[in-house]
Amino acid sequence: MQVLVWEDRFSVGIRQFDQHHKILFEMINSLIFAQEDNSDPDVIKNTMEQLRSYTLFHFVAEEAMMKHFGFEGLDEHISEHEVLLSHVIEYQERIAKNDGVTIDEVLNFLAGWLLDHTLGMDQLYGPFLQHRID
Ligand SMILES: [Fe+2]
């Protein structure tokens, strides 16, 4: 699996959230490296736990700012976050239990949603919030 490389087109124009997204990229890359290096399963478990809590932290931060500035796409955005978070939690729990889920399946899902969501829905709040923060 290819590592995720940050590109300018991923930027939502808000430094704080770009930074969060970059950290999420790096966490997924850590999982890719751990898998390639055949790391101890505990390394993968710990990274998944970190990813789960960081995802929650990041979603709460985005939602709070959208709410604060009255972004009209908030409800739709929250719904997508809920679906994504439930998948992240499900995969984290399955990895913790060693239920046979492959790391490739997890990585495909994680890399897919992060790119789709960052390039898709997150781009909608970018222009709206950008000039309210400045
Ligand atoms: Fe988002």
Side-chain angles (χ1 to χ4, degrees):
M1 168 128 192
Q2 277 199 320
V3 294
L4 303 178
V5 179
W6 180 264
E7 295 169 28
D8 285 344
R9 67 193 173 103
F10 296 121
S11 174
V12 294
I14 295 161
R15 218 156 39 128
Q16 178 192 355
F17 296 144
D18 283 347
Q19 188 57 34
H20 290 179
H21 289 144
K22 286 176 187 170
I23 290 169
L24 287 166
F25 271 45
E26 288 312 315
M27 286 182 161
I28 291 173
N29 287 341
S30 297
L31 284 170
I32 295 172
F33 297 141
Q35 183 207 28
E36 284 174 355
D37 298 346
N38 279 324
S39 299
D40 190 300
D42 283 346
V43 172
I44 289 172
K45 286 179 190 176
N46 290 342
T47 310
M48 275 303 289
E49 269 175 38
Q50 286 172 11
L51 184 71
R52 172 186 176 156
S53 37
Y54 197 80
T55 300
L56 177 61
F57 158 77
H58 167 59
F59 284 176
V60 167
E62 276 189 351
E63 290 166 14
M65 194 178 292
M66 285 186 272
K67 192 171 178 197
H68 180 77
F69 289 105
F71 178 58
E72 62 172 16
L74 175 67
D75 289 346
E76 204 188 336
H77 205 122
I78 289 177
S79 304
E80 192 163 298
H81 280 174
E82 279 171 354
V83 173
L84 294 172
L85 185 64
S86 71
H87 285 301
V88 172
I89 291 171
E90 183 195 322
Y91 279 128
Q92 183 262 313
E93 287 173 349
R94 290 179 67 190
I95 282 186
K97 277 190 282 190
N98 294 321
D99 81 339
V101 64
T102 65
I103 190 72
D104 274 330
E105 184 186 338
V106 178
L107 283 169
N108 276 328
F109 164 74
L110 291 173
W113 81 253
L114 185 57
L115 295 180
D116 285 353
H117 186 74
T118 309
L119 285 169
M121 197 161 258
D122 282 349
Q123 298 295 327
L124 301 176
Y125 71 59
F128 175 87
L129 294 179
Q130 228 170 321
H131 70 272
R132 286 170 173 79
I133 294 169
D134 293 340

